[in-house]
Amino acid sequence: MSNATPHHASDAVPDVASPSDPYERAEQTFPTLSDEALDRAAVYGHDDVATDGTILFERGQRGVDFLLIRSGCIEVFAATDHDTDAMIVAHGPGHFTGEVDQLNNRAILVSGRAKGETRFIRVPRANFPKLIAGEPDIGETIMRAFILRRVALIGHGQGGVDLVGPGHGADTQRLRQFLTRNGHPHRLADTESDTDVWACLGELGVEADELPVVILPGGRILRAPSNTDLAQALGLIETLDPDHVHDLAIVGAGPSGLAAAVYGASEGLDTIVLEGLAPGGQAGTSSKIENYLGFPTGISGQALAGRAQVQAQKFGAKLAIARTVTGIDCGSAPYRLLLDDGESVAARAIVVASGARYAKLSVPDYDRFEGNGIYYAATAMEAQLCAGTEVIVVGGGNSAGQAAVFLSRHVSHVHILVRGPGLAATMSDYLIQRIETSTHITIHAHTEIVALRGDPLLTEVDWVTDGGAPETHAIGALFVMIGASPNSDWLDGCLARDNKGFILTGQDGAGTYATSKPGIFAVGDIRAGSVKRVASGVGEGSVVIASVHRFLDPSLA
C-alpha cells in the first residue's frame, strides 16, 4: 500500500503538489455541507453515533451506507490492518464519506473508523439514490466530490493493487489497460527497468515465467490472471439475478450504450449494461476528442466514458463489467442474454450497442507482435512505452489523426501510412492542417506494410510505396487504426444483418433503430448505415429510448 501523508478534509495536502491533483482542490474534493443541508439529508437516514476506534466500513465490503458527519471525525485509510501510515483523509463535521463505488455494488477500496466519539447521519445504501435525486444541490456536490476522490486515489495509487511484470509485455499491458480503463488504482513495477523488483519477487516465490502478477492488499498474488479473474478478485463483478427481468438490457458500454443507459435509467427504466472489458468502447481509447460538442479544449475518451458511467449509475443503471455476452435466446419473451461465465440476464427490451472490434493488417507474424509493439489505441500508457522512438500510425480516419497528433508530442517521429492518395477524403480538416504543419509527422500515401521484425518486441518494419522496393525502418511501435468489423457473432440466428455482419435496422417501415425482432434495437457502430462518430453514437443511444418506451408501453405509440 502507498504510505501517503494523511489529508485533513479541511486542509488536504498531497504528497506531490500539482494544480491538477484533486487533493489541491479540497473545497470540491472534500466539501463542507451546511447544517441546513445535513438536516435535509437526515430525512433519508437516521442519526447514529460511534465510539473512538469503531470500524464503520472496511475495504472489500459491498453496498455500504453513506455517512455525513455532524461532529467528531471519520478517518479513511487504504489498509485493513489499521496502519495509520496508510491514512488518506480525516473527515470532520459537515463532510461525508464515499467515492464512486457508493453508486454501485462493487467492493469498496478503503476502510473508515471513528476518531473520538463521532456523531453522523447514516443513509442506508438503498436510500442513497433517493437523496441524490431528491436534493439536487446536495447531489451535485456529492457527485463532483466522488469523481475527484476516485481521480485522487488513481493518481496516488491509494486503495489499489500492485502490477508486476515486463512493461512492454503483452499480458502486462492487457492487465494495465484493464485496470486503467476501469478506473482502478494501481502501481506498475516494471521488471524490465527496475532490477530491485526481482529480489522482492524471489521472497514472494514468484518465478519469471509466472509474470505478470497482481499483488492484492493482504498479500494475495494472482499469477498472469485473465481479465475476468482479476475483476472477480477486485470485487468489480456484481452478482446477477437470473430470475429478475429488467425493463432494458444494453449490450456494450461505448458512447451509444452509455447514452442509452443514462436516458433509460433517468426515465425510470430498470436498466442493466453488460460490458466485456471496460466502459468507453473504442472511443474510450482515444487520447483526445476535440470535435465533441461542449468540450472546446477536447476531452479524452476515457474521461468521457468515466463521466458517462457515473452519470448512468447516478440514475440507477446497473453496470456489469467483465461480462461478455456470447449468445441470445430471442425465441420467446422476455429475451435472455447468455454470458461467457454460464450466467444469463433476462430483459423485456434490448439495445444492442456492442460496437466493433479492431481490424488487423494481413502481414506475416502480425499476431506475434500484438501487445508487443502493435497497438490499437494511443493513450498515455502506449506513449510511455515508445517514448523517443519512431512510430507508425496506419489509417486515414480521425482516430488515426488524433493518435498521430498525440504521439508526436512523445516520440521522435510519427509516420502515417495510408493506402490511398491522402487524408482529405477520410479525415477532418482541422486534423489534416495540424498534421501537415507538424515537423514531427510525415504522411506516406499509397504505402503498405509488408514485413515486421523483432524478438520479442517489434523493432523493424518494412513498407512499400507505389509498388516500389521495400524500405526498412527502425520502428518502436505500430498503431493500427484501419476500421473495424462488427461484434455481432453472438446474434447468429436472431437478427437480420448485412453481408459484413452489421445489424439491419428500420426495415419495412419500422423505427430507425428497430431490428428484425420486436423489442430489440441497435445503435452505434454495430448498426448498418450508422455514422461512426462519438457524437452520433451518443445521439442514437439517447434517441432509441423513445422507441424502447413505445415497445414496453404500446399506448405511447
Side-chain angles (χ1 to χ4, degrees):
M1 301 304 299
S2 172
N3 291 327
T5 302
H7 312 310
H8 292 278
S10 59
D11 186 25
V13 179
D15 296 332
V16 180
S18 167
S20 62
D21 193 320
Y23 288 148
E24 286 288 286
R25 301 160 60 184
E27 70 284 353
Q28 293 181 316
T29 308
F30 306 112
T32 301
L33 298 180
S34 67
D35 289 341
E36 182 271 338
L38 291 176
D39 289 339
R40 280 191 284 139
V43 173
Y44 299 86
H46 60 273
D47 283 287
D48 204 344
V49 62
T51 57
D52 182 51
T54 300
I55 299 297
L56 299 171
F57 49 87
E58 287 189 275
R59 178 189 173 94
Q61 288 183 328
R62 298 175 186 262
V64 298
D65 296 339
F66 179 63
L67 311 180
L68 305 99
I69 297 91
R70 287 194 184 274
S71 66
C73 176
I74 294 179
E75 294 180 329
V76 176
F77 53 98
T80 56
D81 57 2
H82 301 185
D83 180 2
T84 55
D85 289 337
M87 195 174 80
I88 297 171
V89 64
H91 289 302
H95 302 136
F96 50 83
T97 61
E99 49 98 37
V100 293
D101 278 342
Q102 193 78 45
L103 302 169
N104 51 53
N105 198 41
R106 297 176 187 172
I108 62 172
L109 302 177
V110 296
S111 302
R113 60 168 172 257
K115 182 179 181 182
E117 182 177 89
T118 301
R119 298 184 180 278
F120 55 93
I121 301 163
R122 182 185 294 275
V123 178
R125 175 66 182 84
N127 287 353
F128 180 72
K130 299 175 184 177
L131 167 61
I132 296 296
E135 307 294 339
D137 59 326
I138 299 175
E140 180 180 345
T141 299
I142 292 171
M143 295 303 295
R144 182 187 299 113
F146 278 6
I147 293 171
L148 289 172
R149 290 175 187 182
R150 176 53 68 98
V151 171
L153 290 176
I154 294 171
H156 289 264
Q158 296 168 321
V161 298
D162 291 299
L163 172 60
V164 185
H168 288 85
D171 277 335
T172 304
Q173 289 306 304
R174 170 181 59 81
L175 294 171
R176 191 180 180 192
Q177 182 185 64
F178 180 84
L179 290 165
T180 299
R181 292 190 60 188
N182 281 292
H184 196 91
H186 64 281
R187 296 166 296 276
L188 173 65
D190 187 350
T191 55
E192 293 174 342
S193 59
D194 187 353
T195 55
D196 292 338
V197 174
W198 289 104
C200 297
L201 291 174
E203 293 178 4
L204 294 173
V206 176
E207 302 293 336
D209 59 0
E210 295 178 306
L211 296 177
V213 297
V214 177
I215 304 175
L216 305 176
R220 180 185 172 195
I221 298 175
L222 304 178
R223 291 167 165 79
S226 67
N227 289 349
T228 301
D229 288 342
L230 178 58
Q232 188 72 57
L234 296 178
L236 298 179
I237 295 182
E238 299 186 35
T239 302
L240 301 177
D241 182 357
D243 297 323
H244 179 76
V245 178
H246 299 273
D247 293 328
L248 173 63
I250 301 167
V251 183
S256 55
L258 289 172
V262 168
Y263 279 82
S266 67
E267 294 177 16
L269 297 180
D270 179 349
T271 303
I272 185 171
V273 185
L274 300 161
E275 167 59 46
L277 178 61
Q282 289 192 36
T285 66
S286 178
S287 57
K288 181 174 283 191
I289 303 168
E290 292 193 68
N291 58 353
Y292 188 70
L293 188 67
F295 293 90
T297 60
I299 184 171
S300 73
Q302 184 178 339
L304 184 64
R307 295 182 184 189
Q309 67 165 316
V310 169
Q311 193 174 14
Q313 292 178 109
K314 165 189 171 181
F315 290 118
K318 185 172 185 178
L319 183 61
I321 66 162
R323 299 282 191 168
T324 301
V325 178
T326 57
I328 181 172
D329 180 357
C330 59
S332 59
Y335 297 122
R336 187 166 290 276
L337 296 167
L338 311 178
L339 309 182
D340 59 348
D341 58 3
E343 295 193 66
S344 64
V345 171
R348 299 164 62 199
I350 294 174
V351 169
V352 180
S354 48
R357 52 184 174 268
Y358 300 106
K360 302 181 180 182
L361 297 175
S362 180
V363 182
D365 291 326
Y366 185 90
D367 292 346
R368 182 164 67 88
F369 290 110
E370 284 188 287
N372 288 315
I374 294 179
Y375 307 106
Y376 301 97
T379 68
M381 185 171 69
E382 289 80 18
Q384 180 184 11
L385 292 174
C386 56
T389 69
E390 294 193 18
V391 304
I392 294 173
V393 174
V394 181
N398 276 9
S399 295
Q402 290 161 349
V405 170
F406 171 72
L407 290 167
S408 68
R409 302 196 298 269
H410 302 273
V411 303
S412 62
H413 202 82
V414 179
H415 301 275
I416 299 179
L417 275 56
V418 292
R419 299 178 64 179
L423 305 175
T426 54
M427 189 179 293
S428 294
D429 183 64
Y430 81 93
L431 281 171
I432 295 176
Q433 292 185 35
R434 197 169 297 173
I435 288 168
E436 290 179 341
T437 57
S438 174
T439 58
H440 296 282
I441 305 175
T442 302
I443 304 170
H444 303 267
H446 301 294
T447 300
E448 296 183 55
I449 292 175
V450 294
L452 306 169
R453 284 185 291 278
D455 184 21
L457 303 177
L458 178 69
T459 55
E460 287 186 345
V461 173
D462 290 358
W463 72 59
V464 170
T465 300
D466 284 328
E471 302 175 17
T472 300
H473 297 266
I475 296 295
L478 173 61
F479 296 85
V480 180
M481 299 177 175
I482 55 174
S485 55
N487 278 320
S488 62
D489 294 346
W490 59 277
L491 291 163
D492 284 347
C494 181
L495 300 182
R497 293 175 287 167
D498 66 12
N499 58 2
K500 294 182 179 179
F502 292 95
I503 299 173
L504 296 171
T505 58
Q507 305 295 298
D508 302 322
T512 305
Y513 309 110
T515 68
S516 56
K517 283 284 186 181
I520 302 182
F521 306 88
V523 294
D525 289 359
I526 199 168
R527 187 176 70 84
S530 66
V531 178
K532 306 302 188 279
R533 289 287 188 270
V534 174
S536 61
V538 170
E540 292 188 11
S542 59
V543 172
V544 73
I545 297 303
S547 298
V548 172
H549 278 301
R550 285 193 292 270
F551 171 75
L552 295 176
D553 186 356
S555 67
L556 298 176

